[in-house]
Amino acid sequence: MTEATLDAGQTAEEHLWAALHALDAPDRLRRATQGLAALEPDSEPDTRVLLLRQAYLAHLELGELAEALATTETMEEVGPLRDIVLADRSRVLWATGDTVGAIEAQRLAVRAAPASRRSFHLWSLATFQHFANDTSAALASLEKAEHWAQRDRPLVRAHAAYVRLDQGLPVEDLAGVLEDLEQSPASQGYGAYLLGMLKYHIRDRREAAVHLRAFLNRNASVDAAKLLTLAEELSRARQALADIESD
């Protein structure tokens, strides 16, 4: 019996599990497509959306941005997890260079989000606004994000400080912002980028280099979808590090 025959006898949920644990993008796409074909008329909408999202991620990993964008449109038609679907659309729109569309989709994600995810979506919106050089909008979004934030509050506050320093604006209690982030568990993830850029802007170049290298090393082998999401941050980290190392 062939692998295809075995796959054909599986349920949509089994295909979803296989897609979630796929070793590469083509296999992820294959299993997601088979799962969609195996859906029953009474299947849960959540299962359909999750299968579509695996197809979306596979398209991103394969660099098929038009297909990824079309998949998000299908996902939204299904209904569930609308805030996540809109955030996925925002990500791929940004990657295609449609900054206006990306910001609008992310703004809609904020509106659709439950309270538990609102801070994250506001923070993502602020990131896009910052990179689009809309400083006032970015700072306003980060202020709202801090209101909703819980464990991510040190990251949100640090990001607001970064936006202000990046635009030559003063930061109140920068020492406190840095200390809170350094003591946060997130200081080893995205926080390393923020610490590096904050230290870079206050010309603590040795510490900046340590954090920026840690951020770049941590993301040296991430999948293509995450690489797409962090493209601007990785570029800025490399530029700052190159500037430090040129001294």
Side-chain angles (χ1 to χ4, degrees), residues 22-71:
L23 297 178
D24 56 37
D27 187 44
R28 187 185 312 281
L29 183 58
R30 178 178 67 85
R31 298 308 296 254
T33 301
Q34 290 176 335
L36 291 165
L39 284 167
E40 299 291 341
D42 60 348
S43 294
E44 291 291 333
D46 284 7
T47 303
R48 183 181 297 274
V49 166
L50 291 172
L51 282 163
L52 285 165
R53 190 162 195 270
Q54 289 304 302
Y56 159 82
L57 291 172
H59 286 309
L60 278 189
E61 291 175 41
L62 293 167
E64 300 169 349
L65 298 185
E67 290 83 351
L69 183 59
T71 304

Side-chain angles (χ1 to χ4, degrees), residues 190-202:
Y190 194 86
Y193 169 72
L194 292 175
L195 282 169
M197 296 307 290
L198 287 169
K199 299 280 188 177
Y200 173 72
H201 280 291
I202 63 174

Side-chain angles (χ1 to χ4, degrees), residues 114-134:
S116 61
R117 291 197 289 268
R118 197 162 297 149
S119 175
F120 173 77
H121 287 308
L122 281 161
W123 181 15
S124 297
L125 174 61
T127 301
F128 287 141
Q129 290 166 330
H130 175 209
F131 293 155
N133 297 314
D134 193 345

